[in-house]
Amino acid sequence: MAQRSLQVPLSGLGLARVTGDSMVPTLRPGDRLLVSYRRAPVAGDLVVAQFVDGTVAVKRATERRETRTGEPGWWLLSDNLDDGVDSRHRGVVPASEVIAVAIARLWPRPRRI
């Protein structure tokens, strides 16, 4: 498996921008999120993750599962099940590929997630 090079800011915080309709109605295209690179996800969190094909997406972590190789992982789903690609299409995402946990939507209307 290729290693992703990610420089985490000293604060452990960053920004993510939502694209696509897969997280509607919770999030909409163009929403800006405050994310934590250090926070461990729990079931129900919105996370930024990288799928095996390299796609980086915001999804909901619904439950812990094991990958086919026995690694710890997450079952990630879209809030809009009629749109987007998620674990139903790509399988369990290794925990090592869950990049960040969303803390709040900053724009257009700030709110905790």
Side-chain angles (χ1 to χ4, degrees), residues 8-110:
V8 175
L10 288 176
S11 67
L13 301 174
L15 299 174
R17 184 173 54 87
V18 177
T19 60
D21 293 323
S22 70
M23 294 305 292
V24 169
T26 308
L27 301 172
R28 301 202 178 277
D31 284 359
R32 303 301 198 277
L33 305 177
L34 176 66
V35 300
S36 170
Y37 295 107
R38 295 190 176 136
R39 184 173 154 197
V42 297
D45 279 346
L46 296 181
V47 299
V48 179
Q50 184 170 0
F51 287 100
V52 70
D53 66 356
T55 302
V56 176
V58 176
K59 299 294 174 194
R60 188 166 305 277
T62 60
E63 66 180 306
R64 290 185 175 276
R65 293 194 183 177
E66 283 188 358
T67 65
R68 285 186 229 167
T69 61
E71 294 176 75
W74 282 96
W75 190 256
L76 304 180
L77 292 177
S78 303
D79 280 359
N80 178 358
L81 295 176
D82 294 330
D83 196 345
V85 174
D86 56 29
S87 288
R88 295 170 300 154
H89 310 94
R90 300 285 189 259
V92 177
V93 176
S96 62
E97 297 302 316
V98 175
I99 300 166
V101 176
I103 298 170
R105 181 177 67 193
L106 297 178
W107 191 89
R109 291 172 305 281

